[in-house]
Amino acid sequence: MGFNFRGLAFKQSLMILAAITIIFGLIFGIMSFKTQDMLNKMTYENGEESSRANVNYIDKLFTAGKVIGEDVAENLGSHPMTKADMDDFLMQSLFNARRTIPQIIAVVVAYEPGMGPETSEGEYMRLARFENNEIKLISGANYQDKEWYSSTRDGRKSRWQEPFIGEFVPEPIAVYTVPIYQKNMQGEDVLAGVIAIDMSIDFLKDEVASIPISNSGYALITTAKNMAVAYPKKIAEGKRNRDIIVREKRGQKQVEFDRKGRDSSGLFIGTVAGGEESAIYYTTIHSTNWTFMVVWPIQKYLEDQSLMRQLFLILSLGGYGIILVIILLISFRVAKPLKDLAIAARKLGRGNFDVAIPKITGHDEVAEFAWAFSNMLTELKDNIEKQKDMKRIERELDLARNIQLSMLPGEERDENSDDDRHELAPFLLPAKEVGGDFYDFFKIDNDHLCVVIGDVSGKGVAAALFMMVARIILRTMTKNLKSISDAFNKTNYALAKRNRLNMFVTVWAGIIDLRTGHIDFASAGHNPPVVRNKNGSAEFIPSKSSVVMAAMENTIYKQQSYDLKPGDTLFLYTDGVTEATNHDNELFGDNRLLDIIKKSGDLTPAETCTLVKKEIDDFVQDVPQFDDITMLTIKFNGIDEPVWERYEKTIDVSNNGKSGELKSFVEDILTPMDGAKKMQMKDAWERYEKIVDVIPENQDILTAFVEGILAPMDGSMKSQMQINIAIDEIYSNIVKFSGATRVTLIVEVRKATLTARLTFIDNGKPYDPIKQADPDITLPAEEREIGGLGIFIVKKTMDSVSYRRNGENNELAITKTL
């Protein structure tokens, strides 16, 4: 029996051993944790008990020292004294302090130069010291750079200094320093000096030595900077205070103990002065920010833990060996028939459908697998054939989806329907590969935009085909009849006449007058659109819906109307929006849609569609989409000018003899007007027209024609130059590429706003220069493709550029503010 490291037997054995390892590891970890936890708990409780009384005693002692220092500083600051008064005050203060705290051995006062009693300049320092059962007065100097003085002077706050052996007190002392403040002539507090209370700390050594600690433990006191000030003689062994360092064990490293970021008390493992590893319980002495520590050597506990780990490891390794042998025997017994089945599967994979399937007796999972494998072989050929058919169907559905979506306009530029008077954005998400929803938009003429949304009954390929037929017929009828009700009647008749499958479609369509916002619309059983008014309110358009299209041949649809105001947004949708359903079979609903449209604010039409889709997704969560979701959003911008009464007069400017016609034309209009109407007339558009043959030489004629019209308007030279360049580029394109024989240039000017609009009309072949991709101007000149730069310059310099194919003519219009 060969041994296969990649075989199931080995992998199964390895997985079982891994599981056993994890279990043993967890048991070992839990046991170690429990043991350690018991040790920590016992040590923690002993440390807390040993520390409580001693820390409270020391804390009260130093707190009392702080209070004495604060009182002395306050008296010195509020009562000016002579030298004699100062000496009496210091001696009395030391006497009173020692009655409360015998460990206080000196009271020191040091002033800033010139601030001492009866001194106009220079230093002043006096010290009252207790020595040999009497109080002595001593004068000092050169204290400005001493740490106890400078740190308090610069920090402007009271503090316990690090213990040191004083110049006048030759023993270890703890010094509490307090700044002295006095009022100046302006009544402001100024720093006058520093008061120091010197406290002997020899008593701390006696204090820690007298504390009984179990298990060979001892007590220790360190300062805020971790300098040992009280410790038993057994750890000193001739070491200086700064050599007795407390270190904490972190992993395999020993780092100096740092209390920052810790609780005021706790337990850790470490060493003292490089000695044996110990359990150390620390407590903060809050008055001085020193640390009281209780230390226990824990070598015995650690040795017991190590022996327990070794015993557990030996037992685990022995158990591993026995378990491994048993697992391998069982795994090989199971793996042998699986290996035979794997060989048969490889042959089957190479196309050998006559392969013999091993017969395995029994009722276990391996036998059931062999039986299932045998049945699979008999069905495999049929399934392969079915998969071929399914893939073909999937490819065809994918192709149908692409065709369907490509038939619908993606953006307004595709339909030459974009202008500044409106914004528009569509959204369509079929529930299946292809769907029955559709939208459409197109211009009937320059001022009328048709918008359509529809929903065919059913789903899938049949609905998609019916949708495409309905859209094409309705678009054709609307463009030709230019009446929405007539278009509905004709489309319904065409669809219903040969509707053998009894399908139908709901449609809402409207023709928007982009000059006024007036909509003529009709509805064939479709949801009424939502209008978000500029003031933030939203409502469904009041409408009466007629019968769905394709149901009856002779259905008559009535035309209805609604008026949009500048800033209003029209939102068209199918029932896939309002009938989206969540887990509780609750519909998204009309009210929820209204609320969303209200809060859409100043969003663009595209952003409005995105917002509605997001709200639907949040509502339905992971419930599958069962219906197509289609939206079409139109924002009516309108125009920022009043509605004018407009009169036009076209003359041939080459005939100077007809100039009187314009004057007579204007006088006939203005004569019957009152003053207000005359003011309005100032803002009317003036229109001029020039027709030339398409030859290069006539470009100069057109340029001179435009300059003669614009010159009296006193526009900027820059604007005039940009217009001349635009004429050059547009006329050159017509000459080179259009094949036109005649060009008509219409110039319209509005003096009130210094605006000019130039419309080039040629009878050449259809050509929309706006659709051409802009050249990459970031490339060096030698790497750019030839052409395209001229129209790019026109688009960048003009306020607006638009194109449309009007019958047999191309019309390219540019607008520029002078």
PDB file of all heavy atoms in Angstrom, residues 10-38:
ATOM      1  N   PHE A  10      -4.286  10.933   3.607  1.00  0.00           N
ATOM      2  CA  PHE A  10      -3.340  11.786   4.314  1.00  0.00           C
ATOM      3  C   PHE A  10      -3.991  13.105   4.726  1.00  0.00           C
ATOM      4  O   PHE A  10      -3.826  13.578   5.847  1.00  0.00           O
ATOM      5  CB  PHE A  10      -2.123  12.043   3.430  1.00  0.00           C
ATOM      6  CG  PHE A  10      -1.131  12.979   4.051  1.00  0.00           C
ATOM      7  CD1 PHE A  10      -0.290  12.558   5.066  1.00  0.00           C
ATOM      8  CD2 PHE A  10      -1.045  14.298   3.628  1.00  0.00           C
ATOM      9  CE1 PHE A  10       0.623  13.433   5.643  1.00  0.00           C
ATOM     10  CE2 PHE A  10      -0.141  15.171   4.196  1.00  0.00           C
ATOM     11  CZ  PHE A  10       0.692  14.720   5.212  1.00  0.00           C
ATOM     12  N   LYS A  11      -4.746  13.722   3.794  1.00  0.00           N
ATOM     13  CA  LYS A  11      -5.391  15.005   4.101  1.00  0.00           C
ATOM     14  C   LYS A  11      -6.415  14.863   5.220  1.00  0.00           C
ATOM     15  O   LYS A  11      -6.512  15.709   6.105  1.00  0.00           O
ATOM     16  CB  LYS A  11      -6.063  15.559   2.848  1.00  0.00           C
ATOM     17  CG  LYS A  11      -5.078  15.970   1.762  1.00  0.00           C
ATOM     18  CD  LYS A  11      -5.798  16.506   0.538  1.00  0.00           C
ATOM     19  CE  LYS A  11      -4.814  16.923  -0.539  1.00  0.00           C
ATOM     20  NZ  LYS A  11      -5.489  17.408  -1.754  1.00  0.00           N
ATOM     21  N   GLN A  12      -7.171  13.743   5.184  1.00  0.00           N
ATOM     22  CA  GLN A  12      -8.159  13.529   6.237  1.00  0.00           C
ATOM     23  C   GLN A  12      -7.481  13.350   7.579  1.00  0.00           C
ATOM     24  O   GLN A  12      -7.914  13.902   8.597  1.00  0.00           O
ATOM     25  CB  GLN A  12      -9.018  12.309   5.883  1.00  0.00           C
ATOM     26  CG  GLN A  12     -10.179  12.069   6.842  1.00  0.00           C
ATOM     27  CD  GLN A  12     -11.048  10.898   6.394  1.00  0.00           C
ATOM     28  OE1 GLN A  12     -10.693  10.196   5.465  1.00  0.00           O
ATOM     29  NE2 GLN A  12     -12.152  10.697   7.064  1.00  0.00           N
ATOM     30  N   SER A  13      -6.390  12.542   7.579  1.00  0.00           N
ATOM     31  CA  SER A  13      -5.640  12.345   8.832  1.00  0.00           C
ATOM     32  C   SER A  13      -5.093  13.656   9.341  1.00  0.00           C
ATOM     33  O   SER A  13      -5.142  13.954  10.546  1.00  0.00           O
ATOM     34  CB  SER A  13      -4.500  11.343   8.596  1.00  0.00           C
ATOM     35  OG  SER A  13      -4.995  10.125   8.088  1.00  0.00           O
ATOM     36  N   LEU A  14      -4.548  14.456   8.404  1.00  0.00           N
ATOM     37  CA  LEU A  14      -3.969  15.739   8.802  1.00  0.00           C
ATOM     38  C   LEU A  14      -5.022  16.673   9.385  1.00  0.00           C
ATOM     39  O   LEU A  14      -4.794  17.365  10.381  1.00  0.00           O
ATOM     40  CB  LEU A  14      -3.316  16.385   7.577  1.00  0.00           C
ATOM     41  CG  LEU A  14      -2.314  17.512   7.854  1.00  0.00           C
ATOM     42  CD1 LEU A  14      -1.134  16.998   8.654  1.00  0.00           C
ATOM     43  CD2 LEU A  14      -1.832  18.103   6.536  1.00  0.00           C
ATOM     44  N   MET A  15      -6.221  16.696   8.781  1.00  0.00           N
ATOM     45  CA  MET A  15      -7.291  17.553   9.275  1.00  0.00           C
ATOM     46  C   MET A  15      -7.758  17.124  10.659  1.00  0.00           C
ATOM     47  O   MET A  15      -7.997  17.957  11.537  1.00  0.00           O
ATOM     48  CB  MET A  15      -8.462  17.546   8.290  1.00  0.00           C
ATOM     49  CG  MET A  15      -8.153  18.224   6.963  1.00  0.00           C
ATOM     50  SD  MET A  15      -9.495  18.073   5.758  1.00  0.00           S
ATOM     51  CE  MET A  15     -10.786  18.967   6.612  1.00  0.00           C
ATOM     52  N   ILE A  16      -7.879  15.781  10.851  1.00  0.00           N
ATOM     53  CA  ILE A  16      -8.306  15.293  12.175  1.00  0.00           C
ATOM     54  C   ILE A  16      -7.258  15.629  13.228  1.00  0.00           C
ATOM     55  O   ILE A  16      -7.576  16.066  14.340  1.00  0.00           O
ATOM     56  CB  ILE A  16      -8.581  13.779  12.117  1.00  0.00           C
ATOM     57  CG1 ILE A  16      -9.764  13.509  11.184  1.00  0.00           C
ATOM     58  CG2 ILE A  16      -8.876  13.236  13.507  1.00  0.00           C
ATOM     59  CD1 ILE A  16     -10.038  12.044  10.951  1.00  0.00           C
ATOM     60  N   LEU A  17      -5.971  15.442  12.860  1.00  0.00           N
ATOM     61  CA  LEU A  17      -4.905  15.768  13.815  1.00  0.00           C
ATOM     62  C   LEU A  17      -4.897  17.265  14.120  1.00  0.00           C
ATOM     63  O   LEU A  17      -4.642  17.679  15.250  1.00  0.00           O
ATOM     64  CB  LEU A  17      -3.554  15.338  13.243  1.00  0.00           C
ATOM     65  CG  LEU A  17      -3.263  13.836  13.283  1.00  0.00           C
ATOM     66  CD1 LEU A  17      -1.951  13.535  12.572  1.00  0.00           C
ATOM     67  CD2 LEU A  17      -3.197  13.331  14.713  1.00  0.00           C
ATOM     68  N   ALA A  18      -5.154  18.064  13.088  1.00  0.00           N
ATOM     69  CA  ALA A  18      -5.207  19.507  13.325  1.00  0.00           C
ATOM     70  C   ALA A  18      -6.329  19.849  14.294  1.00  0.00           C
ATOM     71  O   ALA A  18      -6.172  20.696  15.190  1.00  0.00           O
ATOM     72  CB  ALA A  18      -5.398  20.242  11.993  1.00  0.00           C
ATOM     73  N   ALA A  19      -7.493  19.200  14.102  1.00  0.00           N
ATOM     74  CA  ALA A  19      -8.613  19.446  15.008  1.00  0.00           C
ATOM     75  C   ALA A  19      -8.267  19.035  16.431  1.00  0.00           C
ATOM     76  O   ALA A  19      -8.564  19.744  17.399  1.00  0.00           O
ATOM     77  CB  ALA A  19      -9.849  18.691  14.526  1.00  0.00           C
ATOM     78  N   ILE A  20      -7.598  17.837  16.552  1.00  0.00           N
ATOM     79  CA  ILE A  20      -7.202  17.378  17.899  1.00  0.00           C
ATOM     80  C   ILE A  20      -6.197  18.342  18.514  1.00  0.00           C
ATOM     81  O   ILE A  20      -6.236  18.648  19.712  1.00  0.00           O
ATOM     82  CB  ILE A  20      -6.636  15.945  17.812  1.00  0.00           C
ATOM     83  CG1 ILE A  20      -7.754  14.974  17.398  1.00  0.00           C
ATOM     84  CG2 ILE A  20      -6.033  15.522  19.139  1.00  0.00           C
ATOM     85  CD1 ILE A  20      -7.271  13.568  17.131  1.00  0.00           C
ATOM     86  N   THR A  21      -5.272  18.835  17.659  1.00  0.00           N
ATOM     87  CA  THR A  21      -4.276  19.796  18.160  1.00  0.00           C
ATOM     88  C   THR A  21      -4.948  21.049  18.705  1.00  0.00           C
ATOM     89  O   THR A  21      -4.579  21.567  19.758  1.00  0.00           O
ATOM     90  CB  THR A  21      -3.305  20.172  17.025  1.00  0.00           C
ATOM     91  OG1 THR A  21      -2.689  18.994  16.526  1.00  0.00           O
ATOM     92  CG2 THR A  21      -2.238  21.141  17.532  1.00  0.00           C
ATOM     93  N   ILE A  22      -5.939  21.522  17.968  1.00  0.00           N
ATOM     94  CA  ILE A  22      -6.654  22.720  18.423  1.00  0.00           C
ATOM     95  C   ILE A  22      -7.356  22.457  19.750  1.00  0.00           C
ATOM     96  O   ILE A  22      -7.324  23.286  20.672  1.00  0.00           O
ATOM     97  CB  ILE A  22      -7.661  23.170  17.343  1.00  0.00           C
ATOM     98  CG1 ILE A  22      -6.915  23.648  16.097  1.00  0.00           C
ATOM     99  CG2 ILE A  22      -8.568  24.271  17.867  1.00  0.00           C
ATOM    100  CD1 ILE A  22      -7.815  23.928  14.913  1.00  0.00           C
ATOM    101  N   ILE A  23      -7.976  21.258  19.852  1.00  0.00           N
ATOM    102  CA  ILE A  23      -8.686  20.934  21.100  1.00  0.00           C
ATOM    103  C   ILE A  23      -7.717  20.857  22.264  1.00  0.00           C
ATOM    104  O   ILE A  23      -7.937  21.437  23.342  1.00  0.00           O
ATOM    105  CB  ILE A  23      -9.453  19.608  20.924  1.00  0.00           C
ATOM    106  CG1 ILE A  23     -10.582  19.797  19.898  1.00  0.00           C
ATOM    107  CG2 ILE A  23     -10.029  19.143  22.254  1.00  0.00           C
ATOM    108  CD1 ILE A  23     -11.265  18.521  19.500  1.00  0.00           C
ATOM    109  N   PHE A  24      -6.592  20.096  22.063  1.00  0.00           N
ATOM    110  CA  PHE A  24      -5.601  20.005  23.133  1.00  0.00           C
ATOM    111  C   PHE A  24      -5.031  21.377  23.471  1.00  0.00           C
ATOM    112  O   PHE A  24      -4.781  21.694  24.637  1.00  0.00           O
ATOM    113  CB  PHE A  24      -4.468  19.058  22.718  1.00  0.00           C
ATOM    114  CG  PHE A  24      -4.767  17.609  22.992  1.00  0.00           C
ATOM    115  CD1 PHE A  24      -4.802  16.690  21.963  1.00  0.00           C
ATOM    116  CD2 PHE A  24      -5.015  17.152  24.277  1.00  0.00           C
ATOM    117  CE1 PHE A  24      -5.078  15.364  22.195  1.00  0.00           C
ATOM    118  CE2 PHE A  24      -5.293  15.829  24.520  1.00  0.00           C
ATOM    119  CZ  PHE A  24      -5.330  14.915  23.484  1.00  0.00           C
ATOM    120  N   GLY A  25      -4.796  22.172  22.425  1.00  0.00           N
ATOM    121  CA  GLY A  25      -4.267  23.508  22.675  1.00  0.00           C
ATOM    122  C   GLY A  25      -5.219  24.360  23.498  1.00  0.00           C
ATOM    123  O   GLY A  25      -4.789  25.089  24.389  1.00  0.00           O
ATOM    124  N   LEU A  26      -6.519  24.253  23.172  1.00  0.00           N
ATOM    125  CA  LEU A  26      -7.506  25.013  23.943  1.00  0.00           C
ATOM    126  C   LEU A  26      -7.530  24.561  25.400  1.00  0.00           C
ATOM    127  O   LEU A  26      -7.594  25.390  26.325  1.00  0.00           O
ATOM    128  CB  LEU A  26      -8.893  24.854  23.310  1.00  0.00           C
ATOM    129  CG  LEU A  26      -9.107  25.591  21.978  1.00  0.00           C
ATOM    130  CD1 LEU A  26     -10.461  25.210  21.384  1.00  0.00           C
ATOM    131  CD2 LEU A  26      -9.035  27.097  22.171  1.00  0.00           C
ATOM    132  N   ILE A  27      -7.494  23.205  25.594  1.00  0.00           N
ATOM    133  CA  ILE A  27      -7.494  22.688  26.977  1.00  0.00           C
ATOM    134  C   ILE A  27      -6.262  23.183  27.718  1.00  0.00           C
ATOM    135  O   ILE A  27      -6.336  23.637  28.864  1.00  0.00           O
ATOM    136  CB  ILE A  27      -7.564  21.155  26.956  1.00  0.00           C
ATOM    137  CG1 ILE A  27      -8.907  20.687  26.368  1.00  0.00           C
ATOM    138  CG2 ILE A  27      -7.375  20.595  28.366  1.00  0.00           C
ATOM    139  CD1 ILE A  27      -8.997  19.196  26.173  1.00  0.00           C
ATOM    140  N   PHE A  28      -5.103  23.076  27.037  1.00  0.00           N
ATOM    141  CA  PHE A  28      -3.858  23.506  27.666  1.00  0.00           C
ATOM    142  C   PHE A  28      -3.898  25.000  27.983  1.00  0.00           C
ATOM    143  O   PHE A  28      -3.477  25.438  29.057  1.00  0.00           O
ATOM    144  CB  PHE A  28      -2.690  23.185  26.734  1.00  0.00           C
ATOM    145  CG  PHE A  28      -1.358  23.608  27.274  1.00  0.00           C
ATOM    146  CD1 PHE A  28      -0.794  22.979  28.365  1.00  0.00           C
ATOM    147  CD2 PHE A  28      -0.673  24.655  26.677  1.00  0.00           C
ATOM    148  CE1 PHE A  28       0.431  23.384  28.853  1.00  0.00           C
ATOM    149  CE2 PHE A  28       0.545  25.068  27.158  1.00  0.00           C
ATOM    150  CZ  PHE A  28       1.114  24.426  28.254  1.00  0.00           C
ATOM    151  N   GLY A  29      -4.404  25.777  27.008  1.00  0.00           N
ATOM    152  CA  GLY A  29      -4.484  27.209  27.231  1.00  0.00           C
ATOM    153  C   GLY A  29      -5.412  27.571  28.375  1.00  0.00           C
ATOM    154  O   GLY A  29      -5.111  28.438  29.191  1.00  0.00           O
ATOM    155  N   ILE A  30      -6.573  26.872  28.420  1.00  0.00           N
ATOM    156  CA  ILE A  30      -7.534  27.155  29.491  1.00  0.00           C
ATOM    157  C   ILE A  30      -6.941  26.803  30.851  1.00  0.00           C
ATOM    158  O   ILE A  30      -7.067  27.562  31.823  1.00  0.00           O
ATOM    159  CB  ILE A  30      -8.843  26.389  29.237  1.00  0.00           C
ATOM    160  CG1 ILE A  30      -9.550  26.965  28.002  1.00  0.00           C
ATOM    161  CG2 ILE A  30      -9.758  26.468  30.449  1.00  0.00           C
ATOM    162  CD1 ILE A  30     -10.734  26.145  27.551  1.00  0.00           C
ATOM    163  N   MET A  31      -6.256  25.639  30.916  1.00  0.00           N
ATOM    164  CA  MET A  31      -5.643  25.226  32.184  1.00  0.00           C
ATOM    165  C   MET A  31      -4.567  26.225  32.604  1.00  0.00           C
ATOM    166  O   MET A  31      -4.486  26.603  33.779  1.00  0.00           O
ATOM    167  CB  MET A  31      -5.046  23.821  32.051  1.00  0.00           C
ATOM    168  CG  MET A  31      -6.084  22.709  31.899  1.00  0.00           C
ATOM    169  SD  MET A  31      -5.328  21.087  31.701  1.00  0.00           S
ATOM    170  CE  MET A  31      -4.471  20.919  33.270  1.00  0.00           C
ATOM    171  N   SER A  32      -3.730  26.632  31.637  1.00  0.00           N
ATOM    172  CA  SER A  32      -2.681  27.605  31.967  1.00  0.00           C
ATOM    173  C   SER A  32      -3.291  28.927  32.412  1.00  0.00           C
ATOM    174  O   SER A  32      -2.826  29.552  33.369  1.00  0.00           O
ATOM    175  CB  SER A  32      -1.782  27.834  30.748  1.00  0.00           C
ATOM    176  OG  SER A  32      -1.142  26.648  30.376  1.00  0.00           O
ATOM    177  N   PHE A  33      -4.339  29.309  31.703  1.00  0.00           N
ATOM    178  CA  PHE A  33      -4.997  30.577  32.050  1.00  0.00           C
ATOM    179  C   PHE A  33      -5.606  30.521  33.444  1.00  0.00           C
ATOM    180  O   PHE A  33      -5.481  31.451  34.234  1.00  0.00           O
ATOM    181  CB  PHE A  33      -6.066  30.891  31.007  1.00  0.00           C
ATOM    182  CG  PHE A  33      -6.875  32.117  31.336  1.00  0.00           C
ATOM    183  CD1 PHE A  33      -6.361  33.383  31.118  1.00  0.00           C
ATOM    184  CD2 PHE A  33      -8.156  32.008  31.888  1.00  0.00           C
ATOM    185  CE1 PHE A  33      -7.099  34.514  31.415  1.00  0.00           C
ATOM    186  CE2 PHE A  33      -8.887  33.124  32.193  1.00  0.00           C
ATOM    187  CZ  PHE A  33      -8.352  34.377  31.958  1.00  0.00           C
ATOM    188  N   LYS A  34      -6.281  29.398  33.732  1.00  0.00           N
ATOM    189  CA  LYS A  34      -6.900  29.259  35.052  1.00  0.00           C
ATOM    190  C   LYS A  34      -5.846  29.285  36.151  1.00  0.00           C
ATOM    191  O   LYS A  34      -6.013  29.925  37.191  1.00  0.00           O
ATOM    192  CB  LYS A  34      -7.709  27.960  35.114  1.00  0.00           C
ATOM    193  CG  LYS A  34      -8.998  27.990  34.297  1.00  0.00           C
ATOM    194  CD  LYS A  34      -9.986  28.977  34.883  1.00  0.00           C
ATOM    195  CE  LYS A  34     -11.316  28.944  34.121  1.00  0.00           C
ATOM    196  NZ  LYS A  34     -12.272  29.933  34.641  1.00  0.00           N
ATOM    197  N   THR A  35      -4.728  28.539  35.913  1.00  0.00           N
ATOM    198  CA  THR A  35      -3.658  28.525  36.923  1.00  0.00           C
ATOM    199  C   THR A  35      -3.088  29.922  37.118  1.00  0.00           C
ATOM    200  O   THR A  35      -2.887  30.383  38.243  1.00  0.00           O
ATOM    201  CB  THR A  35      -2.551  27.549  36.487  1.00  0.00           C
ATOM    202  OG1 THR A  35      -3.127  26.269  36.273  1.00  0.00           O
ATOM    203  CG2 THR A  35      -1.469  27.446  37.545  1.00  0.00           C
ATOM    204  N   GLN A  36      -2.795  30.560  35.997  1.00  0.00           N
ATOM    205  CA  GLN A  36      -2.245  31.906  36.073  1.00  0.00           C
ATOM    206  C   GLN A  36      -3.235  32.869  36.717  1.00  0.00           C
ATOM    207  O   GLN A  36      -2.855  33.748  37.492  1.00  0.00           O
ATOM    208  CB  GLN A  36      -1.871  32.383  34.669  1.00  0.00           C
ATOM    209  CG  GLN A  36      -1.163  33.729  34.619  1.00  0.00           C
ATOM    210  CD  GLN A  36       0.224  33.669  35.227  1.00  0.00           C
ATOM    211  OE1 GLN A  36       0.928  32.684  35.046  1.00  0.00           O
ATOM    212  NE2 GLN A  36       0.591  34.691  35.983  1.00  0.00           N
ATOM    213  N   ASP A  37      -4.521  32.679  36.373  1.00  0.00           N
ATOM    214  CA  ASP A  37      -5.541  33.557  36.929  1.00  0.00           C
ATOM    215  C   ASP A  37      -5.646  33.402  38.444  1.00  0.00           C
ATOM    216  O   ASP A  37      -5.781  34.390  39.173  1.00  0.00           O
ATOM    217  CB  ASP A  37      -6.882  33.247  36.270  1.00  0.00           C
ATOM    218  CG  ASP A  37      -7.954  34.238  36.679  1.00  0.00           C
ATOM    219  OD1 ASP A  37      -7.776  35.446  36.437  1.00  0.00           O
ATOM    220  OD2 ASP A  37      -8.970  33.801  37.256  1.00  0.00           O
ATOM    221  N   MET A  38      -5.571  32.132  38.906  1.00  0.00           N
ATOM    222  CA  MET A  38      -5.623  31.905  40.357  1.00  0.00           C
ATOM    223  C   MET A  38      -4.425  32.542  41.046  1.00  0.00           C
ATOM    224  O   MET A  38      -4.547  33.165  42.107  1.00  0.00           O
ATOM    225  CB  MET A  38      -5.662  30.402  40.640  1.00  0.00           C
ATOM    226  CG  MET A  38      -6.969  29.728  40.229  1.00  0.00           C
ATOM    227  SD  MET A  38      -6.943  27.948  40.468  1.00  0.00           S
ATOM    228  CE  MET A  38      -6.734  27.868  42.244  1.00  0.00           C
TER     229      MET A  38
END
